[in-house]
Amino acid sequence: MIDLIKQATAYAIPGIYVLFDSWFTYPKTLIRILELKFHTIAMVKAMPKVFYTYENRKLNLKSLYATLKKKRGKAKVKASIIVEIGEDSQQATPIKAKIVFVKDKNKSKNWLALISTDISLSDEEIIRIYGKRWESKFSSK
């Protein structure tokens, strides 16, 4: 995937964000993409051995969700949080990402998580941009 992004850059294909599913969503991958000057917006799979730093603690996705105060009722966004995913390889500065927990439409008691390395985006904008990953240019929208 990193090689494909490099090829797209070499051909001057414009873009700001790399969108993908949870198969590739590891902190090291997000950092490598950021070093190529692209932000990532992706689905996050709750893997027990993938950790994010929050309040000086390393927590996996399920533990993070458990620590957060959730919005009640029919809210689409259950919670969001800024975490550290690692360090910049050149300057050793912390790299932050925003995780947005959303209600799973298919299973009302479950949640899904999206991550973005562009922490300036609102929760809603992260959801909107990620939704483009599923849009077809042939759709009637």
Side-chain angles (χ1 to χ4, degrees):
M1 177 179 65
I2 298 297
D3 288 340
L4 289 174
I5 295 169
K6 287 178 182 177
Q7 286 177 9
T9 303
Y11 286 108
I13 296 173
I16 300 170
Y17 302 103
V18 176
L19 309 177
F20 52 84
D21 245 347
S22 60
W23 286 88
F24 305 105
T25 311
Y26 294 93
K28 286 183 181 183
T29 305
L30 302 181
I31 292 168
R32 289 189 68 199
I33 293 169
L34 201 55
E35 289 171 345
L36 293 172
K37 309 290 186 232
F38 291 97
H39 282 289
T40 299
I41 297 177
M43 184 70 67
V44 186
K45 186 187 269 186
M47 296 176 275
K49 294 183 181 182
V50 175
F51 298 96
Y52 306 90
T53 305
Y54 176 66
E55 295 182 342
N56 295 318
R57 297 185 306 165
K58 292 204 177 280
L59 302 168
N60 65 26
L61 199 62
K62 285 184 180 181
S63 298
L64 269 174
Y65 185 74
T67 66
L68 299 175
K69 183 177 181 180
K70 284 76 159 181
K71 294 179 185 172
R72 300 182 149 230
K74 298 187 183 251
K76 184 177 188 176
V77 175
K78 302 306 276 175
S80 66
I81 188 171
I82 304 292
V83 297
E84 289 181 9
I85 59 171
E87 292 184 341
D88 177 282
S89 63
Q90 295 179 357
Q91 299 173 1
T93 56
I95 296 178
K96 295 183 179 189
K98 184 179 207 179
I99 299 176
V100 180
F101 294 94
V102 297
K103 184 177 180 179
D104 185 344
K105 290 183 199 176
N106 300 323
K107 299 175 184 172
S108 63
K109 294 191 182 212
N110 290 354
W111 48 268
L112 302 170
L114 300 174
I115 192 166
S116 175
T117 55
D118 185 349
I119 63 171
S120 70
L121 294 176
S122 69
D123 299 347
E124 293 75 16
E125 188 67 357
I126 290 169
I127 295 166
R128 186 191 71 76
I129 293 170
Y130 181 75
K132 290 181 174 289
R133 174 180 171 335
W134 298 105
E135 284 181 10
S136 166
K137 65 180 182 178
F138 303 108
S139 71
S140 59
K141 291 182 182 179

